[in-house]
Amino acid sequence: MHRIALNFEDGVTRFIEARADELVADAAYRVGVNIPMDCRDGACGTCKCQCESGDYSLGSYIEDAMTEDEAREGFVLTCQMKAKSDCVIRIPAASTACKVKPAAMAAEMVEVRQLSPTSIGFAVRVKDAGQLSYLPGQYVNVPVPGTSQTRSYSFSSMPREGVVEFLVRNIPNGLMSSYLAGSARPGDALTLTGPIGSFYLRDVTRPLLFLAGGTGLAPFLAMLESLRHKETGQPIHMIYGVTNDADLVELDKLAAFAAAIPGFTYVTVVADPASTHERKGYVTHHLPDAALHGGNLDLYLCGPPPMVDAVRATLAEKGVKPANFHFEKFNPSEAK
């Protein structure tokens, strides 16, 4: 059996299992996931999706349904596709249209760590570990205990025996921050709803550049943990920028990843002019041309909206257009 991640256009992801001899469309319908379908003969193109990761074979289809150029770009017809490995497939339809809802996973608090005055890490255990599947970089919605409010947090680790970690901003008087820093205790009941998000690590086929702003580091920690178990043969560079010295956290993990992942390097940047850090300013001030590879790279960015805009402007000034630019904006004073 191969595990297939179906990522819908609204960011909801559903994982299914497909036998080696089973069409992906049939595997989806077998578990009640109604991905777009019409002819089932490779003639109409209704079920055309893009496979972003994994190996597969395709049966017969006609040019009107999918062109040779589309096939070279990784497009597939799920009515003709059989998985030869685990795959990630991007579905050009909303999850609601396909009768799919994000899974609700019962969990309990394991640990809360005050990483710095401005950052908190916490770990939870999902009671049914079999439910816990996500792509590195995705997030879940978490109701704030004792309130009707929900917050969205990126996984900052991959699962370990049902335990997952998160890295969040410690916002003064924030609902989740106040709970985590004050009343949170091991064993507290929580619910994780997801996974959600189109910001996740794709197959590594060219150099990677990771740009993290503040607690936007979280999804990259999960990506790096995933990469630690793969041999990509590609250089991976990270620039991790924060506002103040106290905002730099999880540096021990980054150092461990640098020691374990061939080709991975990273630098940290502090914006505060009064800082004594060796690199001051913003991420864009420390964006070396060598890390841009003339545009032959996949760039991943997670940070506040001004950071995304600044990086786009800097790339335009340098005349560099990445092969792929994946980003996630967040406002640390609200959801994250």
Side-chain angles (χ1 to χ4, degrees):
M1 299 287 279
H2 300 302
R3 192 177 71 145
I4 313 296
L6 304 175
N7 187 259
F8 297 89
E9 66 178 9
D10 53 358
V12 172
T13 298
R14 173 70 183 270
F15 288 84
I16 64 172
E17 300 286 333
R19 299 187 301 271
D21 62 347
E22 186 176 26
L23 295 169
V24 169
D26 289 342
Y29 275 80
R30 176 166 50 81
V31 295
V33 178
N34 299 313
I35 58 178
M37 179 70 66
D38 193 358
C39 73
R40 300 183 63 87
D41 296 317
C44 70
T46 302
C47 68
K48 182 162 56 184
C49 303
Q50 188 168 23
C51 184
E52 297 186 318
S53 175
D55 297 322
Y56 55 87
S57 62
L58 288 174
S60 61
Y61 57 90
I62 65 174
E63 180 83 4
D64 287 346
M66 186 170 67
T67 67
E68 291 185 4
D69 286 344
E70 288 176 321
R72 282 192 291 269
E73 292 171 6
F75 284 90
V76 296
L77 300 176
T78 56
C79 75
Q80 298 297 311
M81 175 189 179
K82 293 180 181 179
K84 298 172 67 177
S85 71
D86 292 349
C87 294
V88 178
I89 302 174
R90 183 157 53 86
I91 309 292
S95 60
T96 50
C98 300
K99 300 182 180 180
V100 174
K101 294 182 179 179
M105 298 172 278
E108 63 179 15
M109 184 67 70
V110 173
E111 178 187 28
V112 177
R113 295 183 297 145
Q114 186 78 44
L115 300 174
S116 76
T118 60
S119 303
I120 297 174
F122 69 98
V124 305
R125 177 179 289 105
V126 173
K127 293 186 177 180
D128 181 358
Q131 284 187 288
L132 193 55
S133 293
Y134 55 89
L135 303 171
Q138 290 191 303
Y139 68 90
V140 286
N141 291 325
V142 185
V144 182
T147 78
S148 60
Q149 299 294 306
T150 298
R151 296 293 183 262
S152 300
Y153 296 123
S154 298
F155 293 101
S156 63
S157 73
M158 297 306 291
R160 303 184 201 97
E161 298 181 348
V163 176
V164 289
E165 298 178 5
F166 300 90
L167 169 64
V168 304
R169 180 79 173 173
N170 186 8
I171 302 168
N173 301 315
L175 285 178
M176 184 62 89
S177 298
S178 298
Y179 162 70
L180 290 171
S183 60
R185 297 290 183 272
D188 285 357
L190 296 167
T191 301
L192 311 182
T193 303
I196 307 169
S198 298
F199 185 75
Y200 54 83
L201 184 66
R202 274 71 172 177
D203 266 356
V204 181
T205 59
R206 55 180 64 86
L208 301 181
L209 177 60
F210 292 165
L211 304 180
T215 52
L217 176 67
F220 293 115
L221 294 176
M223 290 182 187
L224 288 167
E225 187 171 331
S226 174
L227 287 168
R228 185 173 60 186
H229 304 292
K230 301 176 181 178
E231 293 185 8
T232 69
Q234 298 289 347
I236 307 164
H237 186 59
M238 168 183 278
I239 307 176
Y240 169 30
V242 299
T243 302
N244 303 297
D245 291 338
D247 301 329
L248 287 172
V249 296
E250 303 287 38
L251 297 182
D252 55 338
K253 289 186 178 180
L254 292 180
F257 287 134
I261 302 173
F264 172 59
T265 57
Y266 72 96
V267 297
T268 53
V269 179
V270 177
D272 181 10
S275 170
T276 59
H277 195 74
E278 60 179 316
R279 282 171 296 276
K280 290 192 289 188
Y282 297 103
V283 164
T284 50
H285 299 153
H286 301 273
L287 198 58
D289 290 339
L292 296 174
H293 299 276
N296 180 37
L297 80 158
D298 291 341
L299 195 160
Y300 291 79
L301 187 162
C302 185
M307 179 181 175
V308 178
D309 296 339
V311 169
R312 279 178 163 164
T314 299
L315 292 174
E317 290 172 5
K318 291 177 174 288
V320 172
K321 183 179 180 181
N324 291 291
F325 185 7
H326 306 289
F327 63 89
E328 182 174 66
K329 296 181 179 179
F330 70 88
N331 186 337
S333 66
E334 295 178 358
K336 295 286 184 173

